[in-house]
Amino acid sequence: MKIGVLGAGQLGRMLALAGYPLANRFTFLDTTGHPSVGIGDVMIDTDQRHLDSFLASVDLVTYEFEHLPVSLVQAIEAERPVYPSSEAIRVCQNRAEEKALFDRLSIPTPAYRLVESAEALEAAARELGTPVVAKSVTEGYDGKGQAVLRDPTDAAEAWQRINHPRLIVESFVDFVREVSIIAVRGQDGQVVFYPMAENVHVDGILRYSLAPMPDLDEAVQHCADGYIRALLDELDYVGVLTLELFQCADGSLLANEMAPRVHNSGHWTMDGAVTSQFENHLRAIQGLPLGDTEALAPTCMVNVIGREPDSAEVLAIKHAHLHRYDKSERAGRKLGHINLVADNHAELLDKVRACAALVPDAPEVRFSFERG
Amino acid sequence: MKIGVLGAGQLGRMLALAGYPLANRFTFLDTTGHPSVGIGDVMIDTDQRHLDSFLASVDLVTYEFEHLPVSLVQAIEAERPVYPSSEAIRVCQNRAEEKALFDRLSIPTPAYRLVESAEALEAAARELGTPVVAKSVTEGYDGKGQAVLRDPTDAAEAWQRINHPRLIVESFVDFVREVSIIAVRGQDGQVVFYPMAENVHVDGILRYSLAPMPDLDEAVQHCADGYIRALLDELDYVGVLTLELFQCADGSLLANEMAPRVHNSGHWTMDGAVTSQFENHLRAIQGLPLGDTEALAPTCMVNVIGREPDSAEVLAIKHAHLHRYDKSERAGRKLGHINLVADNHAELLDKVRACAALVPDAPEVRFSFERG
């Protein structure tokens, strides 16, 4: 099976590494001019002149990046199967569409308003009660295009800074932790769910994901399973879908956003689950049976951002798995991650501290369950 | 780190899949004209004309195939580090050298004689007592260049059929099972050992490897560890070494042969051990700390030979990991393998039977521990 991937970054790289053992071959279509995938065939196509030869070389198409022109994906869909569909991209790349879908499926979210002027932004901030967070409805990624309003009078400055004609304004949520649920839906509609992960972001960039969580009520996992199943079924989705949520003090969940692809908060599955998110995405889009999503052991993913640690020091940690993306160092750039696996959560925390001491600029971390 | 690999088959492919996460890049030198690696850069060089450009593109060299001209490897050693060294290749590609090394290190082997004529072969068969097995001292691989003599008078025909100027003649061993030990030695001399595997061959081709063995006495593992450590230290070896042995009814071990590389009987480590043999080989040759060799769970590797099973049927088995080599079907050809992982050995055996039913021509298997 020859698989075409839109995008040529680390997610595509890890898809390919999971797909070679299934006898898949990969062609990546890079529209940025800066592919970093380092594996498979790469077509650099910044002007859509090579689309035909890309399509001629693949049996089906998937993507590692959802901020693609919907019209491009629709055009590809006319020629080859695309999983997940262009409809999933259309919804996921627009926060307003995404919220409307959550509302329609009765998936709770933080209170929000849509605004199209600085004045409307100020009014929304007053109505919701500050602080609020304002985000452009499109093209947000890793904390870009966002602003926090501490007071309604911050509206003018925030509006100018974000510089986008349509914003979504959300109440701050008094959450206990950020979590995510990753699920996979097959061509036959079968759905499997990974154990939820606790995620720690700093400045909008994911730094740690830990799964399974030792203090997660089974009912909360089931609740998240239900939310994501509703999304998958509604979109007639095929492949891996990620839903990020806030968990509140009473255990309840509020949906934050979703990503129609393999996700950084699922990288722990590469070494911590029976089947990785990457393999399961490939199984799904090829119509193969989905793999078991069970966790093998407590696992924590530590992201490597901006600067690389010394590989030898990291690999000296017992049961540490290093995943480098073979990219050059640059501030804020995702360069790799480390999966730490342990027999129990206490041992895992020791490894996380030891690893964080080796990773440049790794923030201190205290997971929710440590705070009792 | 840019790694050059001599050979471009499935072992090189799996080395590369393990090495990309370490930010390694791979160039394969194929001297057969038929590379099947399907990944990395491949140089086809049947006349040594591209050796210079191969060397210019790599930092260090390893190999996936030991039947290489020693002079070629020595020439490469003059330009780049080669791990394991040409001395390991020289010894391992010649059964007479290998036996002499076993003898020198007091590693027991089946009784043997070296012969250089049909008459000497007949005399050796008489002296050792038939049946005996005669093997060419060089270029044997997967059962080629071998003959069994049921009676000393079979010597003339066997001599003609093997058609090699020097043979090694060995007593048949009344063994309980065939086993192997895989160990890794780092540049600093550190050695780590994998749990031994029980191997089932049919017609000289490996069909199953199971590890850890539920009925293996710890003392036997220590004995094998000692044998392979002696070999590693004597050869000042860096990388993965495999030693195949016979285990007799009294538990004792007799060395059969060794391979200076990652080995088919270690493929179970990809899904059944903390660190795979492939990653550990790469760690060793780059001077990185060696990874933990502990088994995660009872694991059995099922080889796919000649014809492919249906991927969907294989992947429907819980905790089955499919590893296809993306080669075309041909009688006797290694096309892939399946790693089955289970919570206990009883469950593992059920999976092995279920899997064998799906793999074309998979022989029936009864492991030693099943026979009580």
Side-chain angles (χ1 to χ4, degrees):
Chain A
M1 183 74 81
K2 290 175 285 180
I3 296 177
V5 181
L6 306 177
Q10 71 269 13
L11 298 178
R13 176 182 173 90
M14 290 184 278
L15 272 175
L17 289 172
Y20 281 99
L22 302 175
N24 297 151
R25 298 181 186 185
F26 292 86
T27 303
F28 297 91
L29 189 75
D30 172 77
T31 55
T32 67
H34 305 288
S36 68
V37 66
I39 197 170
D41 293 326
V42 181
M43 290 187 185
I44 297 179
D45 189 18
T46 50
D47 52 7
Q48 294 194 27
R49 270 201 256 168
H50 300 285
L51 191 57
D52 287 346
S53 71
F54 170 73
L55 290 174
S57 69
V58 303
D59 299 316
L60 64 82
V61 174
T62 188
Y63 43 90
E64 55 134 51
F65 181 63
E66 67 272 26
H67 297 288
L68 293 159
V70 175
S71 59
L72 168 66
V73 183
Q74 286 169 337
I76 294 173
E77 258 169 350
E79 304 291 330
R80 290 285 181 280
V82 178
Y83 301 114
S85 70
S86 62
E87 177 61 9
I89 285 191
R90 191 186 67 76
V91 172
C92 292
Q93 70 180 212
N94 187 302
R95 293 180 198 278
E97 293 282 350
E98 197 175 86
K99 291 280 186 189
L101 178 63
F102 291 154
D103 289 348
R104 196 159 75 246
L105 298 172
S106 304
I107 298 170
T109 66
Y112 72 94
R113 299 288 184 276
L114 289 164
V115 299
E116 299 188 351
S117 70
E119 295 68 34
L121 174 57
E122 184 172 339
R126 261 182 229 292
E127 202 182 343
L128 293 168
T130 50
V132 293
V133 59
K135 303 171 183 174
S136 61
V137 293
T138 56
E139 287 171 62
Y141 186 62
D142 277 348
K144 290 162 198 147
Q146 304 199 1
V148 171
L149 284 70
R150 301 274 159 209
D151 189 274
T153 58
D154 296 342
E157 193 197 329
W159 179 262
Q160 196 165 20
R161 190 146 67 79
I162 298 175
N163 188 28
H164 194 277
R166 197 167 194 225
L167 307 186
I168 194 159
V169 194
E170 293 174 336
S171 287
F172 253 50
V173 174
D174 184 23
F175 60 84
V176 174
R177 58 182 163 192
E178 296 177 88
V179 296
S180 58
I181 171 86
I182 293 180
V184 198
R185 188 168 180 270
Q187 287 181 8
D188 59 357
Q190 186 204 357
V191 179
V192 293
F193 309 93
Y194 283 97
M196 294 172 74
E198 176 169 345
N199 303 319
V200 177
H201 293 85
V202 175
D203 297 332
I205 300 179
L206 183 68
R207 302 305 299 240
Y208 300 93
S209 287
L210 182 146
M213 291 177 265
D215 59 342
L216 188 76
D217 198 293
E218 213 180 310
V220 176
Q221 173 83 41
H222 287 156
C223 176
D225 291 354
Y227 292 160
I228 199 165
R229 181 192 284 277
L231 292 163
L232 289 164
D233 288 342
E234 175 71 12
L235 294 167
D236 193 17
Y237 194 98
V238 174
V240 163
L241 178 69
T242 305
L243 177 62
E244 294 185 88
L245 308 116
F246 302 112
Q247 188 177 17
C248 305
D250 65 357
S252 65
L253 298 170
L254 296 174
N256 179 22
E257 61 183 31
M258 61 181 184
R261 53 170 167 80
V262 289
H263 193 262
N264 200 163
S265 72
H267 290 359
W268 69 271
T269 64
M270 297 173 83
D271 301 293
V274 171
T275 314
S276 79
Q277 63 168 347
F278 299 99
E279 180 174 338
N280 253 338
H281 183 72
L282 293 169
R283 289 191 187 206
I285 67 177
Q286 293 175 82
L288 293 168
L290 304 181
D292 191 7
T293 51
E294 200 180 313
L296 295 166
T299 306
C300 184
M301 188 230 44
V302 181
N303 254 352
V304 174
I305 309 289
R307 289 192 294 143
E308 300 263 15
D310 181 85
S311 291
E313 289 180 349
V314 171
L315 293 171
I317 301 173
K318 192 178 149 90
H319 215 152
H321 295 273
L322 179 60
H323 298 275
R324 294 178 60 183
Y325 309 152
D326 203 2
K327 296 202 259 185
S328 54
E329 297 185 330
R330 194 173 67 212
R333 195 176 199 201
K334 290 183 176 175
L335 301 177
H337 68 272
I338 299 149
N339 282 338
L340 303 164
V341 183
D343 291 335
N344 55 64
H345 282 85
E347 192 193 295
L348 183 60
L349 290 176
D350 287 344
K351 287 189 183 187
V352 171
R353 311 283 182 240
C355 183
L358 304 175
V359 173
D361 310 316
E364 271 190 62
V365 61
R366 255 175 95 75
F367 292 99
S368 172
F369 66 91
E370 295 182 83
R371 301 188 295 261
Chain B
M1 183 75 81
K2 290 175 283 180
I3 296 177
V5 181
L6 306 177
Q10 70 269 14
L11 298 178
R13 177 182 174 90
M14 291 185 277
L15 272 175
L17 289 173
Y20 281 99
L22 302 175
N24 297 149
R25 297 180 187 187
F26 292 87
T27 303
F28 297 92
L29 189 74
D30 172 77
T31 56
T32 67
H34 305 289
S36 67
V37 67
I39 196 170
D41 293 326
V42 182
M43 289 187 184
I44 298 179
D45 189 18
T46 51
D47 53 6
Q48 295 193 25
R49 269 201 256 170
H50 300 284
L51 192 57
D52 286 346
S53 71
F54 171 72
L55 290 173
S57 68
V58 303
D59 299 316
L60 64 80
V61 174
T62 188
Y63 43 89
E64 56 135 48
F65 180 64
E66 67 272 27
H67 296 288
L68 293 160
V70 174
S71 59
L72 168 66
V73 183
Q74 285 169 337
I76 294 173
E77 257 169 351
E79 304 291 330
R80 290 285 181 282
V82 179
Y83 301 114
S85 69
S86 61
E87 177 61 9
I89 286 192
R90 191 185 68 75
V91 171
C92 293
Q93 71 179 210
N94 186 304
R95 293 179 197 279
E97 292 281 351
E98 198 175 84
K99 290 282 186 186
L101 178 63
F102 291 154
D103 289 348
R104 196 159 76 244
L105 298 172
S106 304
I107 299 170
T109 66
Y112 72 94
R113 299 288 183 277
L114 289 164
V115 299
E116 300 187 352
S117 70
E119 295 69 34
L121 174 58
E122 185 172 338
R126 260 182 230 293
E127 201 181 344
L128 294 167
T130 49
V132 293
V133 58
K135 303 171 182 173
S136 62
V137 292
T138 56
E139 284 169 64
Y141 186 62
D142 277 348
K144 289 162 199 147
Q146 304 198 2
V148 171
L149 282 71
R150 300 277 159 206
D151 189 276
T153 58
D154 295 342
E157 194 196 327
W159 180 262
Q160 198 165 19
R161 189 145 68 80
I162 297 175
N163 189 27
H164 194 278
R166 197 165 193 227
L167 307 186
I168 194 158
V169 194
E170 293 174 338
S171 288
F172 254 50
V173 175
D174 184 24
F175 61 82
V176 174
R177 58 182 164 192
E178 296 178 86
V179 296
S180 59
I181 171 88
I182 292 180
V184 198
R185 187 167 180 272
Q187 287 182 7
D188 60 356
Q190 186 203 357
V191 179
V192 293
F193 308 93
Y194 282 98
M196 294 171 73
E198 175 170 345
N199 303 320
V200 177
H201 294 85
V202 175
D203 298 332
I205 300 179
L206 183 67
R207 303 304 300 240
Y208 301 94
S209 288
L210 182 146
M213 291 177 265
D215 60 342
L216 188 77
D217 198 292
E218 213 180 310
V220 176
Q221 174 84 42
H222 287 157
C223 175
D225 291 355
Y227 292 159
I228 200 165
R229 181 193 285 277
L231 291 164
L232 289 164
D233 287 344
E234 174 72 11
L235 293 167
D236 193 17
Y237 193 97
V238 175
V240 163
L241 178 69
T242 306
L243 177 62
E244 294 185 88
L245 308 115
F246 302 113
Q247 188 177 17
C248 305
D250 65 356
S252 65
L253 299 170
L254 296 174
N256 180 22
E257 61 182 31
M258 61 182 183
R261 53 171 168 80
V262 289
H263 192 262
N264 200 163
S265 72
H267 290 359
W268 70 271
T269 63
M270 297 173 84
D271 300 294
V274 171
T275 314
S276 79
Q277 63 168 346
F278 299 99
E279 178 174 339
N280 253 338
H281 183 73
L282 293 169
R283 288 191 188 207
I285 68 177
Q286 293 174 82
L288 293 168
L290 304 182
D292 192 7
T293 52
E294 201 181 311
L296 295 165
T299 306
C300 184
M301 187 228 48
V302 181
N303 255 352
V304 174
I305 309 289
R307 289 192 294 144
E308 299 263 15
D310 181 83
S311 290
E313 290 180 348
V314 170
L315 293 172
I317 300 173
K318 193 178 148 88
H319 215 153
H321 295 273
L322 179 60
H323 298 274
R324 294 178 62 182
Y325 309 152
D326 204 1
K327 297 202 259 185
S328 54
E329 298 186 330
R330 194 173 68 213
R333 195 176 200 202
K334 290 183 177 177
L335 301 177
H337 69 272
I338 299 149
N339 282 338
L340 303 164
V341 183
D343 291 336
N344 56 63
H345 283 86
E347 191 192 295
L348 182 60
L349 290 175
D350 288 342
K351 288 189 183 187
V352 171
R353 312 283 182 240
C355 183
L358 303 175
V359 173
D361 310 318
E364 273 190 59
V365 61
R366 255 175 95 76
F367 292 99
S368 173
F369 66 89
E370 293 183 85
R371 300 189 295 260

